[in-house]
């Protein structure tokens, strides 16, 4: 126990290193697993080259150039060799290196996810704090029911409804896309304004469900912590309610949320398929799903790798945060 | 503390919203926005595999000739484009082309005969894997189908060249109708890595439009090429293809005027658009049909031994004819497509008015006739189960459909009910499209529903020829000596008139054999904003001559 | 003394209501049951060839609508049935009734479609005219009588003996108007009674969808699929998440890091590919959908449980409890479970909502339970397309989902209170 408590920076960095290494090994194993699974699973990447307008010989040539005719092991060898040079190969559909394709889609997804994540967490937190003063009071009941109602509405319904209200009827926001056609002729402020205008509806759509989730977790945890005996003890000792809430209740209530938040942020980085489709946004969700549906093997592997790395990072961040709140469990959590 | 935050937020908002208050964002009215549902992957005509890519690449790059549509005969006409005139030799095995001398690539170089020769070279190069690879059948080629440049081309001067086709091949304008690419740009690109290397090169074009901007997954902006001989300052300055993946978002934006033109509107949404004052509705007679495929051979045996053994259920012409009688095609057409189409009886589209056999009429819906035919083939009703049986085998099978297509799902349900009425039990299975098509092309499916879009002119051999290696699209594995003979004749004949006769003959054979059950030809329903003038619609597509559009 | 309605009152009320509303149906299915039993002795092979789930389902529900209230009456002293009726138990009882008695409650086949031009997108409480065509006269025999009854009881998705119309005019021929179109039927094809054609009306209580199918019956059958798939996959997720979380968090060390890393891997694994793969390999059945959805949703639960267990086992009171020599099971039930139950339940409630909606996304990709069953998720999904024209497509399934979630949430709270009795004060 004593030893663990004094685990200093050195100990933590060792733990971190171990964990990152383990994560990378697992990621590599998963990519390998996926590599074989993709090729064994039904479906054929050269399918789009079979059509009445094309010569039957073309599909055979294409298969050859995708290297799909050689043995699985040979294909794997080439893949690993390329991977060791940081090369995921060339996307079958886009015919440019996978890294380049992902480079076009990832920045948007990261920015979009972070904005939504911050909004989800802060709105959820504000709402939970708003009701916590009188748990089971009227405002708690209303907000709790409303949050479930929001949750029962899937994001595609919210998205379509928002478009209907704000673009079709009120004509305030554009209904799709990331920027206007004349974007390149705008000055700096107009550009930013154009982005903001386009992003309002998608951000609301993607954030709505998340707000409900975080609110619910926080509210229920707060309720529970308030009823814990140690809070009563503190009250009995004459501590101010504000101090109790800030110093003791909130930290305790937030801790299970952190794990969820880490997972959720990682998933957000994987892309928000439905929101992207409704609002025609260039994100990772659409990219990955299209890659899967068209059996673009290198692109699927690339997308999985990137989202795997991001998930590892967010989970690590979540665990670090959790460990920071409770020093005693550093070792257990970071394991 | 808190006030500071509020102040900061207010400040940010003012900064963001100020520009919008002071200055209206300028919108160029001289543009047309069309919607497409997914991004293109290339603007290069070599790799324009899907329809949108084809459209865009043909607006960027000129072809030697341009086709038009003759509504009277239902066939294509040929008009000058890069070639201002031409002469065929006596036996039509070579053509001399006179190129325009006023066409320039966007970097200022002239378009000459060397670009033409280079294009044939690259298109037919097996290493490049262009979309036309393997289709230069009427040319002198080596064994890998690469066009033999020496034998084929005689350059008289930079603007005059002769193309020699293979002796006795029925060459036509279709053989030279594709966009020409600039030689000086691509000559040093390695052929092996052409597909990827081409992506690094900024497009140099000569068409009526130039690529102004390509925002991945969002929009492709084409602007009129003011130097082109097709340019007219009264016409549109910009043609924008906006990528809107969601069908209903497209519809909403069409109604709002955010997009000006939309294709493939579903029949049930069509009446709602009629009330829209800003829109004009139009439709293109179909050259796309749905069909129910009956595998004529036994898929199990074919998979194991590649031997062709008639299918236990659908191997018999009588059974297939009975199934065609039993399916209420008119009802599906009426109920789902709101009669925007017509019941089909063969693979030749009604738009080819001189080739279609008007004496044939689709078999009527008649469960009674179907039952009678099935009884004659030995399928008798089992009084206990109400199902048809023959030698103890029940008439039941799985009908596969690709998922995500509401029309086919609807039709499948109707067919299920139709066949249940005559004592046939079918089980509908929805397969993910990739898996579905893989199985279909491998001829592993027993019965399925899919569709084909036929090319202009109709190319029937790929679909119906008995030798399966030469007919990858004959997924029903139809076998008929008579049909083979006609198909071979169509391929070798040059007379359009005789070809039409042969098409009719072929339709009669198919009509009798019912290799599959043809369901219906589906019209492409479109709507465009009334502000677009000169909008012309031919079977060659809505963007044919779209540089003539203007907006008021 | 004040009268509080109790759960068993409500059960009997629902059963009676259904019994009265569907009296004809119950009589017919009773007759069919009798006929079937008679035929078993005459030609058993025939009967066995006829029996399947679609056949037994309406017969069973007709039987249960009588049996259940009797049982409720007999056992009304039991704790559950004596419960005061509140929102949660109300929703649960209604859902259970739909789940068990779907064929009885729905009254028509959820996939029934006919004359789209008349029935497409009708708003709630719409009525259409039904023209009855002559059906072939039956020779009276045992089997024909059996089929006659079967057609009445086992609802089919099609019916060639009726025609829906907006209005019907009887002249020399009978003329129907269908969506502005005029269709004529010769007299000899029409069923006549007292010299005039038989025309009834059909009421669509909650309207119809884009294929002209009755939303009310789809909603009821949808309860089956949504409850079954939802509960099934939540159960799978819970087992995996809680079990693995506990296995990883409690001993810690190598096992923990192994399981944690594998979980990270599952988070990164492309779910859609996983779904396509499973469904391609094991077919598009309900079981594979449950498995797929359950298997792709356990990760955040695992994270919660593991994190809580780790922080718990370092808490002083837990250490002292362990030192006091509590057995592992007692530690689990008395110390660990009460702590993790609140976040776990929240997670499960959301997971339930997620699953039902994810099933919709699956249906969208064509990978769901298929068109053979309607599901709430799929109904909401298809309804979004008609949001501006037909609000009823989305409102009713969404309300059903909302009430179910609310009930699940309340139920979760009750379970939490049961494990943490302090909360009640």
């Amino acid at each position: 126990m004593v030893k663990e408590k004094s685990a200093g920076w050195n100990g933590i960095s060792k733990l971190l290193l171990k964990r990152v290494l383990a994560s990378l090994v697992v990621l590599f194993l998963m990519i390998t697993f996926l590599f074989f699974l993709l090729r064994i699973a039904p479906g054929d990447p050269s399918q789009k080259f079979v059509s009445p307008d094309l010569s039957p010989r073309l599909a055979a040539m294409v298969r050859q150039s995708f290297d799909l005719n050689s043995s699985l092991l040979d294909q794997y060898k080439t893949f690993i060799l390329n991977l060791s040079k940081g090369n995921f190969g060339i996307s079958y559909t886009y015919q440019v290196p996978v890294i380049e394709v992902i480079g076009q889609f990832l920045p948007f997804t990261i920015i979009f996810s972070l904005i939504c994540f911050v909004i989800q967490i802060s709105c959820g937190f504000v709402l939970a704090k708003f009701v916590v003063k009188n748990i089971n009071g009227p405002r708690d009941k209303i907000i709790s029911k409303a949050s479930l109602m929001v949750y029962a509405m899937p994001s595609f319904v919210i998205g379509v409804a928002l478009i209907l209200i704000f673009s079709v009827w009120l004509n305030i926001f554009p209904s799709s896309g990331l920027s206007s056609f004349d974007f390149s002729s705008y000055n700096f402020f107009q550009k930013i304004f154009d982005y903001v205008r386009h992003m309002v509806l998608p951000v609301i759509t993607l954030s709505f469900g998340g707000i409900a989730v975080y609110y619910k977790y926080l509210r229920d945890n707060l309720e529970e912590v308030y009823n814990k005996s140690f809070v009563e003890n503190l009250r009995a000792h004459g501590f101010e309610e504000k101090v109790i809430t800030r110093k003791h209740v909130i930290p305790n209530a937030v801790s299970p949320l952190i794990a969820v938040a880490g997972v959720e942020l990682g998933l957000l980085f994987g892309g928000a398929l439905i929101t992207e489709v409704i609002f025609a946004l260039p994100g990772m969700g659409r990219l990955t799903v299209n890659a899967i549906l068209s059996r673009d093997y290198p692109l699927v592997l690339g997308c999985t790798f990137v989202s795997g790395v991001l998930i590892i990072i967010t989970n690590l961040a979540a665990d670090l945060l959790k460990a920071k709140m409770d020093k005693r469990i550093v070792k257990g959590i970071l394991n | 503390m808190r006030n500071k935050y509020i102040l900061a937020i207010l400040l940010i908002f003012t900064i963001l919203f100020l520009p919008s208050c002071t200055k209206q964002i300028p919108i160029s009215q001289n543009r047309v926005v069309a919607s497409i549902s997914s991004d293109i992957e290339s603007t290069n005509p070599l790799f324009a595999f899907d329809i949108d890519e084809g459209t865009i690449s043909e607006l960027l790059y000129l072809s030697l000739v341009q086709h038009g549509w003759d509504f009277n005969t239902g066939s294509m006409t040929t008009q000058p484009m890069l070639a201002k005139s031409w002469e065929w030799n006596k036996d039509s095995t070579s053509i001399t082309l006179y190129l325009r001398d006023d066409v320039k690539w966007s970097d200022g170089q002239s378009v000459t005969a060397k670009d033409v020769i280079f294009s044939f070279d690259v298109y037919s190069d097996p290493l490049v894997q262009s979309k036309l690879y393997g289709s230069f059948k009427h040319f002198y080629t080596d064994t890998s189908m690469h066009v033999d440049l020496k034998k084929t081309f005689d350059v008289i001067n930079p603007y005059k060249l002769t193309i020699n086709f293979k002796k006795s091949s029925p060459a036509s304008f279709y053989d030279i109708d594709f966009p020409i690419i600039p030689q000086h740009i691509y000559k040093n690109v390695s052929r092996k890595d052409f597909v990827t290397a081409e992506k690094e090169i900024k497009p140099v074009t000569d068409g009526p439009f130039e690529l102004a901007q390509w925002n991945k997954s969002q929009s492709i902006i084409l602007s009129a090429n003011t130097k082109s001989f097709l340019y007219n300052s009264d016409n549109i300055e910009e043609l924008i293809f906006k990528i809107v993946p969601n069908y209903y978002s497209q519809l909403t934006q069409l109604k709002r005027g955010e997009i000006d033109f939309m294709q493939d509107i579903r029949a049930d949404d069509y009446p709602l658009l009629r009330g829209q004052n800003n829109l004009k509705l139009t439709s293109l007679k179909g050259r796309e049909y749905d069909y129910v495929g009956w595998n004529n051979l036994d898929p199990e045996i074919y998979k194991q031994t590649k031997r062709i053994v008639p299918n236990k259920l659908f191997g018999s012409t009588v059974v297939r004819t009975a199934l065609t009688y039993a399916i209420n095609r008119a009802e599906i057409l009426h109920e789902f497509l709101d009669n925007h189409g017509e019941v089909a009886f063969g693979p030749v589209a009604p738009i080819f008015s001189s080739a279609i056999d008007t004496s044939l009429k689709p078999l009527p819906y008649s469960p009674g006739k179907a039952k009678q035919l099935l009884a004659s083939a030995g399928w008798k009703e089992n009084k206990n189960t109400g199902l048809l049986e023959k030698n103890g085998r029940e008439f039941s099978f799985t009908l596969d459909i690709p998922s995500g297509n509401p029309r086919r799902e609807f039709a499948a349900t109707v067919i299920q009910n139709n066949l249940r009425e005559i004592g046939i039990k079918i089980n509908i299975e929805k397969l993910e499209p990739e898996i579905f098509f893989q199985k279909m092309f491998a001829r592993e499916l027993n019965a399925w529903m899919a569709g084909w879009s036929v090319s202009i002119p109709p190319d029937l051999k790929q679909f119906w020829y008995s030798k399966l290696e030469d007919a990858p699209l004959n997924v029903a594995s139809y076998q008929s000596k008579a049909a083979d003979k006609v198909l071979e004749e169509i391929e070798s004949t040059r007379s359009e008139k005789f070809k039409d006769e042969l098409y009719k003959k072929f339709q009669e054979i198919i009509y009798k054999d019912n290799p599959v059950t043809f369901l219906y030809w589906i019209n492409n329903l479109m709507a465009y904003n009334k502000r677009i003038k000169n909008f012309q619609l031919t079977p060659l597509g809505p963007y044919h001559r779209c540089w003539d559009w203007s907006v008021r | 003394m004040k009268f509080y309605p109790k759960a068993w009152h409500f059960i009997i009320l629902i059963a009676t209501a259904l019994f009265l509303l569907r009296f004809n149906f119950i009589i017919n299915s009773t007759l069919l049951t009798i006929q079937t039993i008679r035929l078993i002795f005459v030609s058993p092979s025939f009967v066995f060839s006829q029996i399947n789930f679609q056949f037994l389902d309406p017969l069973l529900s007709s039987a249960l609508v009588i049996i259940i209230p009797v049982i409720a009456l007999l056992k009304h002293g039991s704790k559950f049935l004596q419960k005061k009726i509140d929102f949660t138990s109300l929703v649960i009882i209604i859902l259970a009734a739909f789940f068990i008695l779907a064929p009885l409650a729905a009254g028509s086949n959820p996939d029934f479609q006919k004359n789209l031009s008349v029935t497409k997108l009708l708003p709630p409480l719409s009525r259409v005219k039904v023209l009855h065509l002559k059906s072939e006269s039956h020779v009276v025999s045992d089997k024909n009588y059996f089929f006659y009854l079967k057609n009445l009881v086992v609802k089919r998705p099609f019916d060639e003996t009726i025609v829906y119309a907006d209005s019907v005019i009887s002249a020399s021929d009978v003329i129907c108007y269908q969506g502005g179109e005029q269709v004529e039927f010769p007299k000899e094809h029409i069923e006549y009674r007292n010299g005039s054609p038989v025309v009834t009306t059909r009421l669509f209580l909650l309207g119809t969808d884009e294929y002209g199918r009755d939303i009310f019956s789809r909603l009821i059958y949808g309860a089956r699929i949504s409850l079954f798939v939802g509960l099934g996959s939540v159960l799978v997720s819970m087992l995996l998440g809680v079990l693995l979380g506990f296995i990883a968090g409690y001993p810690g060390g190598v096992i923990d890091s192994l399981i944690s890393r594998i979980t990270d891997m599952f988070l990164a694994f492309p779910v859609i590919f996983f779904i396509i793969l499973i469904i391609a390999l094991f077919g598009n059945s309900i079981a594979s959908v449950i498995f797929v959805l359950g298997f792709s949703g356990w990760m955040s639960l695992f994270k919660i449980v593991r994190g809580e267990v780790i922080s718990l086992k370092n808490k002083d009171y837990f250490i002292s409890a362990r030192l006091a020599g509590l057995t592992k099971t007692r530690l689990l039930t008395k110390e660990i479970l009460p702590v993790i139950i609140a976040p776990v339940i929240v997670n499960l409630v959301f997971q339930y909502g997620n699953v039902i909606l994810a099933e919709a996304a699956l249906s969208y990709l064509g990978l769901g339970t298929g068109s053979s069953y309607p599901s709430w998720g799929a109904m909401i999904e298809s309804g979004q397309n008609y949001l501006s024209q037909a609000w009823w497509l989305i409102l009713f399934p969404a309300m059903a989902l909302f009430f179910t979630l609310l009930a699940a949430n309340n139920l979760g709270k009750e379970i939490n209170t049961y494990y943490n009795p302090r909360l009640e004060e």
Side-chain angles (χ1 to χ4, degrees), chain B residues 167-205:
Chain B
K167 286 276 166 268
S168 79
S169 69
S172 70
F173 283 113
Y174 304 123
D175 292 309
I176 58 165
D177 166 34
F178 54 83
I180 299 299
I181 56 166
Q183 185 238 11
H184 64 284
I185 299 296
Y186 296 110
K187 65 180 171 198
N188 292 328
V189 177
S190 128
R191 293 289 165 89
K192 198 165 177 293
D193 304 320
F194 205 97
V195 199
T196 39
E198 174 269 322
K199 296 279 185 305
E200 310 285 323
I201 299 170
K202 206 173 156 279
V204 170
T205 61

Side-chain angles (χ1 to χ4, degrees), chain C residues 210-390:
Chain C
E210 73 271 32
Y211 293 125
R213 298 177 296 200
D214 180 26
I215 290 183
F216 179 67
S217 51
R218 291 184 77 71
L219 204 63
I220 288 173
Y221 275 90
R224 268 194 179 175
I225 207 80
S226 298
L227 285 178
F228 195 59
V229 170
L231 291 178
S233 44
V234 163
L235 200 70
V236 172
S237 298
M238 189 181 78
L239 282 178
L240 278 171
V242 174
L243 216 65
L244 287 177
F246 189 71
I247 292 173
Y250 193 71
V254 184
I255 301 174
D256 179 21
S257 79
L258 193 75
I259 298 179
S260 297
R261 294 298 80 74
I262 290 175
T263 312
D264 288 352
M265 178 174 127
F266 271 106
L267 279 171
F269 199 83
V271 181
I272 298 218
F273 175 68
F274 179 67
I275 291 167
I276 289 175
L277 191 73
I278 294 288
I279 286 174
L281 292 179
F282 301 105
N284 197 344
S285 66
I286 294 185
S288 46
V289 170
I290 289 177
F291 174 75
V292 159
L293 292 176
F295 206 75
S296 50
W298 57 271
M299 284 77 90
S300 62
L301 196 60
F302 164 84
K303 294 264 168 191
I304 294 172
V305 174
R306 171 181 170 269
E308 288 302 293
V309 169
I310 287 175
S311 72
L312 189 73
K313 76 179 181 187
N314 288 296
K315 291 254 160 76
D316 297 333
Y317 67 87
F318 185 79
I319 294 169
S320 48
R322 198 167 54 178
L323 291 178
L326 259 68
T327 61
K328 268 197 178 158
T329 26
R330 273 189 73 82
L331 275 176
L332 184 70
T333 51
K334 290 280 158 190
E335 300 297 336
I336 299 176
L337 222 54
V339 174
I340 61 172
I341 198 117
V344 165
I345 283 172
V346 178
N347 188 286
L348 289 181
V349 170
F350 282 129
Q351 174 69 13
Y352 181 76
N354 261 342
V355 163
I356 289 179
L357 298 175
E359 202 272 323
L362 282 192
S363 307
Y364 181 69
L365 286 169
L367 301 167
T369 43
S371 57
S372 44
Y373 293 97
S375 71
W376 292 346
M379 289 170 79
I380 295 175
E381 200 275 323
S382 71
Q384 59 131 339
N385 301 334
Y386 296 91
L387 203 58
S388 56
Q389 312 153 33

